[in-house]
Amino acid sequence: MTETANALTDAPANVPVKHEIYWRDTEPVTAGPALREDVHCDVAIIGGGYTGLWTAFYLKQADPSLEIHVLEAEYAGAGASGHNDGFMTPTIGHSLSALIHRFGTERAKLAYSMVGRSMLELRRFCRKYEVDAELEPTGYLQVASNRNQLRLLERDLDLIEQLGGQQSIELLGAADARERVDSPAIVGAFEVGGSLINPHKLARGLFRVVRDLGVHIHESTTVTAMRRAAGGHVLTTPYARVTAPKVLLATNAYQHQFAAMRRKVVPVWSYAAVTRPLTDRELAQVHWPDREGFVEAGNFIVFGRLTAENRLLFGGGRANYHYGRDMDESRHIDSPAATAALRGVLSRYFPQWRDIPFSHTYGGCVAITREMVPHVGSAGDGVFYAHGYCGNGISVTHTASKSLRDLILGRDSVYTNLLFVNGKERGFPPEPIAFLGSKVVTRALAVQDRYPHLVRAQIF
Ligand SMILES: Cc1cc2nc3c(=O)[nH]c(=O)nc-3n(C[C@H](O)[C@H](O)[C@H](O)COP(=O)(O)OP(=O)(O)OC[C@H]3O[C@@H](n4cnc5c(N)ncnc54)[C@H](O)[C@@H]3O)c2cc1C
């Protein structure tokens, strides 16, 4: 810890808030060198996040002779994989209700069981390969802070029962919930299996494992163009070309760069705020024995957790889409309005900690599809894609990578028949309709959060 201590309170002295992703400070990275010579390979993967890296991992395990090159514009984990909030959950897409509404109970059940398996395998992976992703298998609490949210918890419990999972799951009343996390804001909760992780360390650990398996990972290598030629698809990068018969587009929120994917995804900004580490004395002020994260029910969720360094991380709130899929960090990484809203959430949940300063506040782009579910598949002619995890991608990218492995190897398997594979995808309209539409939908979702009993429609 770099902060100097305040001798009177034992709290570290305040340091200026950084508008940078907190997790990057936990393991500084220098991006590797750019690719400088032309290569031919079996599979080229564009994007070195969880999707690209897990797919490379499973392809190499299935066939060690495959020549695989991963091309990453910055460094492995520079995208959402390195700066998400670290809730490893079973959720697929935006919500359970949206999923069941679209695909029915049986298909949802199968997909959930595969994602549940992924959560276990991820833990085993970290143990086996000694990836210290600061994984805490605490599960998390889905919480309600008002009567409307309690109704949502009851609805979700009914849906979970339909799926036949977690039979013993029960709705905790305020007193029982506060035995778990003693927050005056919580009026009800139920527990969901899952873990908290450091997402950046998971991405960097995965990068090292995949590289050591013999996959070529080129950081600092942006793909600027892609065209069809006799030997396969030719990918242009600043200093070299890569030719491969099979290409995976694993750029998620950045997917619109590729013609075939132009309208499939919108990047929506989501914000987080992280405090300095809490002192032992501050930690003792709140009964939170199992350190589980918690997530409020609703369309625009807010959530809180502790990090391994005992910092508080709060995130979520109203998400914004900027005209023309604007993902420019220099303009949007800091949102004073989002920070103020998160300060309000922190004070509401933990009045004792309301004045603990934030050390980092930042935003990142969540990839949303029109259906609010991820899409994984084959676009034909050796091009494969995966995108649109809707802010729930830590476990689902792992499952999706097995679907991608089997699609790329031409196998028919349980993974290639999961509900998010080769599904119908409508895509978004062109601008300005996409922008205006986002405003309408955002408003509708916010109204539904406020008056769930009045607005019962399944908006997605
Ligand atoms: C703020 C935020 C919070 C989230 N919180 C959670 C959470 O708590 N739990 C959860 O389960 N999920 C969460 N998610 C979602 C999860 O992080 C993502 O679904 C997941 O990381 C997607 O992985 P990916 O590999 O598909 O995409 P990414 O990790 O975004 O990887 C795409 C990569 O492609 C690279 N790239 C882009 N263009 C090019 C190009 N032209 N050439 C080469 N490389 C390129 C990028 O640099 C990037 O590294 C969150 C996401 C965000 C943004």
Side-chain angles (χ1 to χ4, degrees):
M1 241 174 275
T2 51
E3 290 95 341
T4 47
N6 175 330
L8 290 178
T9 63
D10 84 354
N14 294 348
V15 290
V17 62
K18 288 186 187 178
H19 304 304
E20 289 167 22
I21 288 136
Y22 156 66
W23 305 109
R24 287 183 188 164
D25 282 356
T26 66
E27 184 182 328
V29 177
T30 306
L35 176 68
R36 295 222 167 230
E37 50 186 46
D38 291 354
V39 290
H40 283 75
C41 59
D42 298 308
V43 183
I45 296 177
I46 309 175
Y50 301 147
T51 300
L53 295 173
W54 281 124
T55 306
F57 176 81
Y58 280 112
L59 279 172
K60 201 69 183 169
Q61 298 240 313
D63 182 351
S65 72
L66 283 177
E67 275 289 297
I68 305 170
H69 285 251
V70 177
L71 308 166
E72 165 53 47
E74 296 183 48
Y75 61 85
S81 299
H83 70 239
N84 63 65
D85 302 301
F87 284 76
M88 189 205 287
T89 74
T91 312
I92 303 170
H94 174 61
S95 64
L96 177 58
S97 62
L99 202 79
I100 292 182
H101 175 74
R102 182 159 294 278
F103 296 105
T105 309
E106 284 311 309
R107 296 195 77 196
K109 194 170 169 174
L110 178 63
Y112 265 87
S113 74
M114 292 303 168
V115 173
R117 182 186 291 186
S118 280
M119 294 202 295
L120 292 176
E121 289 180 359
L122 262 153
R123 284 170 61 180
R124 265 189 236 132
F125 170 88
C126 290
R127 270 202 304 273
K128 175 169 176 189
Y129 292 97
E130 297 180 353
V131 171
D132 177 12
E134 296 170 0
L135 192 149
E136 296 186 62
T138 54
Y140 72 99
L141 292 179
Q142 187 81 44
V143 302
S145 69
N146 57 42
R147 214 174 318 144
N148 289 340
Q149 291 176 357
L150 262 184
R151 288 201 188 102
L152 293 177
L153 292 193
E154 282 161 6
R155 180 202 64 182
D156 282 353
L157 274 179
D158 284 348
L159 293 173
I160 290 170
E161 207 165 288
Q162 268 182 45
L163 291 187
Q166 299 205 5
Q167 295 293 352
S168 59
I169 203 162
E170 58 170 323
L171 187 59
L172 304 175
D176 288 335
R178 289 183 62 170
E179 283 297 311
R180 311 288 293 275
V181 183
D182 189 9
S183 160
I186 298 178
V187 299
F190 65 77
E191 185 177 356
V192 183
S195 299
L196 295 175
I197 61 157
N198 175 328
H200 172 73
K201 287 192 173 180
L202 175 64
R204 295 309 292 172
L206 181 56
F207 157 76
R208 283 188 286 274
V209 172
V210 172
R211 184 195 56 193
D212 293 350
L213 282 177
V215 172
H216 308 274
I217 306 177
H218 310 286
E219 298 184 308
S220 314
T221 302
T222 305
V223 174
T224 53
M226 176 170 158
R227 69 183 164 81
R228 189 73 175 95
H233 299 277
V234 181
L235 309 181
T236 307
T237 74
Y239 308 109
R241 277 185 300 208
V242 177
T243 308
K246 294 184 176 171
V247 175
L248 168 60
L249 308 178
T251 58
N252 199 32
Y254 313 79
Q255 202 78 310
H256 55 272
Q257 299 165 79
F258 302 100
M261 302 291 133
R262 188 135 293 152
R263 304 237 187 95
K264 304 290 191 197
V265 168
V266 290
V268 168
W269 285 83
S270 166
Y271 288 87
V274 178
T275 68
R276 63 158 168 73
L278 304 187
T279 64
D280 289 346
R281 194 184 307 176
E282 286 163 344
L283 272 174
Q285 290 170 341
V286 172
H287 177 76
W288 194 348
D290 295 329
R291 300 170 57 85
E292 59 270 74
F294 57 87
V295 181
E296 239 181 46
N299 289 318
F300 291 114
I301 55 170
V302 293
F303 44 84
R305 58 164 289 189
L306 289 164
T307 71
E309 289 185 308
N310 290 328
R311 294 170 188 263
L312 268 175
L313 181 155
F314 270 88
R318 185 82 72 95
N320 279 318
Y321 168 72
H322 293 293
Y323 190 91
R325 294 181 168 72
D326 183 356
M327 298 175 71
D328 188 342
E329 281 200 359
S330 66
R331 271 199 293 276
H332 303 301
I333 194 161
D334 174 32
S335 164
T339 302
L342 292 173
R343 170 63 64 192
V345 178
L346 191 164
S347 308
R348 183 159 61 88
Y349 271 85
F350 302 115
Q352 306 91 317
W353 292 338
R354 63 153 55 94
D355 295 324
I356 293 181
F358 291 139
S359 58
H360 300 71
T361 66
Y362 51 91
C365 284
V366 170
I368 304 287
T369 61
R370 182 102 180 254
E371 293 78 19
M372 294 293 249
V373 296
H375 288 283
V376 174
S378 162
D381 199 22
V383 177
F384 302 86
Y385 60 88
H387 51 243
Y389 301 99
C390 300
N392 288 302
I394 299 174
S395 329
V396 181
T397 48
H398 181 271
T399 315
S401 72
K402 295 187 186 177
S403 308
L404 288 163
R405 171 200 60 197
D406 293 348
L407 290 170
I408 291 169
L409 296 178
R411 297 173 174 170
D412 185 22
S413 73
V414 64
Y415 290 103
T416 57
N417 290 291
L418 288 177
L419 47 73
F420 47 62
V421 179
N422 283 325
K424 199 162 166 352
E425 202 175 351
R426 285 176 301 165
F428 292 90
E431 296 291 17
I433 303 169
F435 178 71
L436 296 172
S438 78
K439 296 279 166 222
V440 174
V441 171
T442 305
R443 177 58 66 90
L445 291 171
V447 170
Q448 190 174 46
D449 276 347
R450 202 143 180 201
Y451 307 107
H453 50 300
L454 297 179
V455 190
R456 285 179 194 280
Q458 186 74 45
I459 294 175
F460 293 98

